[in-house]
Structure formats: structure tokens, C-alpha cells
Amino acid sequence: MIKSGGVIFALFFAVFVANAATLTVNGGMAYKYEPNVLRTGLNMGVYVVSTTTPLTISLTSGSPATMRMYRFPSSGYLTKEPVAEAVQSGNTITLSGGDRDYGYCIEQGSDSYYFWISKYVKVTSLENDYSYTNLCESARVTGTGITIPYYSIYGTQGAIPRKISYYTWEWNDQTKMPNMDVEIQEEIVPGNDDKIVVNSPYEKTLFTIIDDIPTRWGGKASKISTSDEYIPKAIFMHGVVTQTERNVPNEIKVNVDGVYGGSAPVIMEFKAYVNEDNYLAWQFFHSAIGADDPDPVIEAIYAVPTLNYSFKDAGTVYVRLHSENSSCSKDITYTIVVGESSLDAPNAFSPGASPGVNDEWRVAYKSIIEFNCVIFDRWGVEVCRFSDPSIGWDGYYHGKLAPPGVYFYIIKAKGSDGKEYQLKGDINIIRGKN
């Protein structure tokens, strides 16, 4: 590693002020990889070449000024040595029969061109590696020939990306269900020890390395897979929570600030999707800490994928979708806020007077979970009875509009907060003469 601040500055300066130049390796039949220039200093990239074809390097710049070629090993640019075999002709410098697994630098005036030449390595084995410590998030495969190394101008090792394929689950927002058997094909930079780490798949799958590097020099692409399917440890878990909405004009809305809930009863469906045979359950709890309580006191457990539930008690309850196996666990917590109750009854309405305007007697309410209302005329004759606070009396009795006058109601009800209601009062039917 280069420790001199002045040298590092000089190298970075040389990397970024280079004029336009064209580098050709093996007549353009080498595989090119472009690593991060800030971290590697390799402003002309990394080239992978065949193990059988003689190495040729040719760089053409925009100037006929003198060019010098240097070679450096894995220890970095500071241990460079001149390449006497390189020949310049006009604007082009050429090296025939150079060495693989070395870095090269071509200098022309204040411009410097850095690149690395790696020899091709074929993957000959691939196995699942369950010794990885992060099985809940990632999976690792190991083998022989996975890593094709290169080195930066500072002497740090990198590796050529390998194309790997496997199958997993993905969530589909449109269908609200997981898509299974989704093929993932991506290029991953392996470690320096013939290991590749990918996001953990959520289903049993083979890992396959697709090696098309040799096609650059006329060779054939190849595939190699793990001998056994990978058994996933990571948990795929997704919950779909649906609240039944009521469009009731006389039910007072309760603001719950972006979470689930409102006026009781809050009727909800909880549906869970979990991969493999992982345990799952819906856990109910209350907590002064909130939804993120790391160790809540679980009050109820429903070990079913789909749960329909009606929340009738005022307050905040948390429903945690929990899944686990012998290695991993995952939680998603939902907040449901049930409002306190209220109940109020009007004392007049005018059925038949102006159709569509004040022509039905209804209570105004919220979070009423038990309700019974009986309406009598002045002689004590029952004219209407109902047990749903969302409905009311339309002013009809025996199929005809009841005459104007005074009627009486008795209401017994119970709220989500346990409050008991016993209301009595009069109802005035107001209607002008025809």
C-alpha cells in the first residue's frame, strides 16, 4: 500500500488528466472489465485473456510524443519495471508476448494509462456454503476457479464479476401475492477466496455460474451448477392487511393518523405469505413502548395464514406477524387504534316534507358496539325497532307515513370504551299541511 500522500496525489492526478487514447488487447478479443477508477487507479480497465493466445498490447494516443511502458506486479505501481520489448511507431506503442497477471502503465508526457491483464480461469466446481454467518439475509457459494484476480496500482486485490443465476420469490404489488420461481441473473464480484455472496433465495434452487468470458476470443460459454439445491434459511414474509370501510353518513369519523382503525367495530382481514414451511402466527399485544417493543407480552396468538378479526375495545392494539425457523425470524407489526364512543339522538325530522332532506331519524354515533332502539307513539304503541345504529326510522308505520306529532325513543347501547348508554327522549315529526 502506498503511504506517501504526495505519491498518492500524483497518481490520482495522472489517472484523471490522461488524454483520449485507445487500448487494444489481443486484437480486441480480450474480455474487458471497468473497475472503480477512484479505488483502483486503473483508468484503462482490466482485461481477461486466453491462457493459450499470445498476449499483445497496443495503445494509440493522440500524440506522437515518446511513450514508455512499465510493468508492475500485485504489490502495486511503486514496484514497476520498464518493458524494453515495447516498440513505438508513430502514435502507437505495441508489446507482443507480454506477461499475464501483471499491471501495465504507459506514460506519455504528463499522461499515464494504467491497466491490468488477468489470465482466464475456468470455474470447475460449485457448492453451497452453509458455514456463512449471515444465512438470514444472504447465501454463499464456493468452488474452484470462481475468482479471477486483478490488482490496483496501490496493490489492493479485486476480482472479475461472475454471472450467477438462481430462483427466488418476489412480491407482486399488483396481484398482492408473491411471484414464485423468479429467475435472478446478476453479475457479482466474488471474494478473493473463490466465494460468491448473493441475496438469499426464498425457495430451493440450484446456483449456476454462466461463464461467457471465453466468447470474447472465440471460445464457448459454459455453465456450472451446484450439485444440490440450496435449502433457504431466510424468511420471505409479507402481510396484506385490509380494513372494511363503512360509508355511513351518521357514523362520526375517527382520525387515526395514518394507521388502521377508527370507529368500532374495526373489521379487518390479515393475510400472510411465508415461504417454505416456516412457522407463522399473528400475535396481539398492548405496549406502552409501541409497535417496536422488542419483548412484548403476547396476549393472543393465531397461527393461521388468514385471520378475520373485529376490534371492539377502545385503545391501541398491535398485531405482529411473526415467522421463524431454526435459524431465522422476522416480524412485521401493524397498529390499530380504536376510538372512544359517543352517542347523540336528534329530536325532530320531517319525513315526506322535502324528499332527501331530513327525512330519516338517525342517531349520530361512533364506536358503538351494542345498540337497541325502540320508538313509540304517544299512546305507547311501538312503531319501530332496530339494533344497528347506522340505520334509523324513515317515518313510516304499517307502510304509511306516520302523522306529524310527538314520538318517543328508548335507546340502550354500549361503547367500545365500556360506556353504557340509556337514552330517552322525544322525536317530533314536522310536516306542513298538504
Side-chain angles (χ1 to χ4, degrees), residues 239-313:
V240 177
V241 179
T242 305
Q243 178 175 341
T244 300
E245 299 294 337
R246 295 189 295 271
N247 186 19
V248 179
N250 61 318
E251 183 175 22
I252 301 169
K253 301 301 180 183
V254 177
N255 184 9
V256 291
D257 295 326
V259 297
Y260 295 101
S263 174
V266 176
I267 301 171
M268 303 190 68
E269 180 186 69
F270 300 90
K271 185 175 289 187
Y273 295 91
V274 177
N275 64 323
E276 299 297 310
D277 295 323
N278 295 312
Y279 169 83
L280 72 90
W282 300 97
Q283 302 173 340
F284 285 52
F285 65 93
H286 294 79
S287 173
I289 296 175
D292 297 327
D293 190 335
D295 189 25
V297 177
I298 304 301
E299 301 161 11
I301 297 176
Y302 301 91
V304 293
T306 301
L307 173 66
N308 290 283
Y309 197 88
S310 179
F311 296 89
K312 296 181 179 180
D313 296 330

Side-chain angles (χ1 to χ4, degrees), residues 230-411:
Y230 179 81
I231 307 301
K233 302 298 182 182
I235 296 174
F236 176 96
M237 186 175 73
H238 205 100
V240 177
V241 179
T242 305
Q243 178 175 341
T244 300
E245 299 294 337
R246 295 189 295 271
N247 186 19
V248 179
N250 61 318
E251 183 175 22
I252 301 169
K253 301 301 180 183
V254 177
N255 184 9
V256 291
D257 295 326
V259 297
Y260 295 101
S263 174
V266 176
I267 301 171
M268 303 190 68
E269 180 186 69
F270 300 90
K271 185 175 289 187
Y273 295 91
V274 177
N275 64 323
E276 299 297 310
D277 295 323
N278 295 312
Y279 169 83
L280 72 90
W282 300 97
Q283 302 173 340
F284 285 52
F285 65 93
H286 294 79
S287 173
I289 296 175
D292 297 327
D293 190 335
D295 189 25
V297 177
I298 304 301
E299 301 161 11
I301 297 176
Y302 301 91
V304 293
T306 301
L307 173 66
N308 290 283
Y309 197 88
S310 179
F311 296 89
K312 296 181 179 180
D313 296 330
T316 300
V317 62
Y318 303 100
V319 178
R320 179 168 293 175
L321 173 57
H322 173 77
S323 181
E324 66 179 46
N325 55 36
S326 60
S327 302
C328 306
S329 66
K330 185 172 284 188
D331 295 300
I332 304 173
T333 304
Y334 304 92
T335 302
I336 297 91
V337 178
V338 180
E340 295 181 346
S341 67
S342 69
L343 180 62
D344 191 25
N347 62 4
F349 73 125
S350 54
S354 301
V357 179
N358 197 30
D359 54 6
E360 190 169 26
W361 183 86
R362 295 192 189 197
V363 298
Y365 74 98
K366 64 179 178 180
S367 289
I368 296 298
I369 58 175
E370 294 179 12
F371 183 83
N372 185 67
C373 177
V374 183
I375 299 175
F376 305 90
D377 65 14
R378 70 181 67 183
W379 295 283
V381 176
E382 181 179 318
V383 296
C384 183
R385 177 188 293 266
F386 52 95
S387 58
D388 183 348
S390 68
I391 64 176
W393 181 35
D394 59 5
Y396 280 79
Y397 178 60
H398 288 320
K400 296 181 179 179
L401 280 172
V406 179
Y407 296 79
F408 303 90
Y409 66 85
I410 298 176
I411 295 175

